[in-house]
Amino acid sequence: RIYFQSRCEAVKNLRMVTLPGHHHLHLDDPAPVAEAISSFLDEHEDESPTKHESDTATISGSGGTDG
């Protein structure tokens, strides 16, 4: 438990959300999971790193990469 707490303290902007459910909550009841994620992303929207052209890969329709 001490290890878990120290790991949590090391993560910037960590938010722990407790929702009712079991292991597959995101499959059994996706709405509250989606709401928690959306809320977090909305609050931290301005902190997103800028995407650069080099950060993306182009994938062709044939299943391979272009290039």
Side-chain angles (χ1 to χ4, degrees):
R1 192 150 177 101
I2 293 170
Y3 175 75
F4 178 74
Q5 185 161 349
S6 68
R7 295 289 294 154
C8 290
E9 292 168 0
V11 178
K12 180 183 176 185
N13 296 325
L14 177 77
R15 177 185 304 168
M16 189 178 326
V17 177
T18 302
L19 300 170
H22 302 284
H23 181 75
H24 292 287
L25 172 63
H26 63 292
L27 299 174
D28 297 334
D29 191 9
V33 177
E35 176 58 35
I37 294 169
S38 292
S39 174
F40 178 86
L41 293 175
D42 287 346
E43 290 176 23
H44 297 281
E45 179 174 32
D46 296 336
E47 300 171 27
S48 298
T50 303
K51 258 195 165 265
H52 296 284
E53 199 172 306
S54 62
D55 293 341
T56 61
T58 304
I59 299 179
S60 70
S62 64
T65 57
D66 291 340

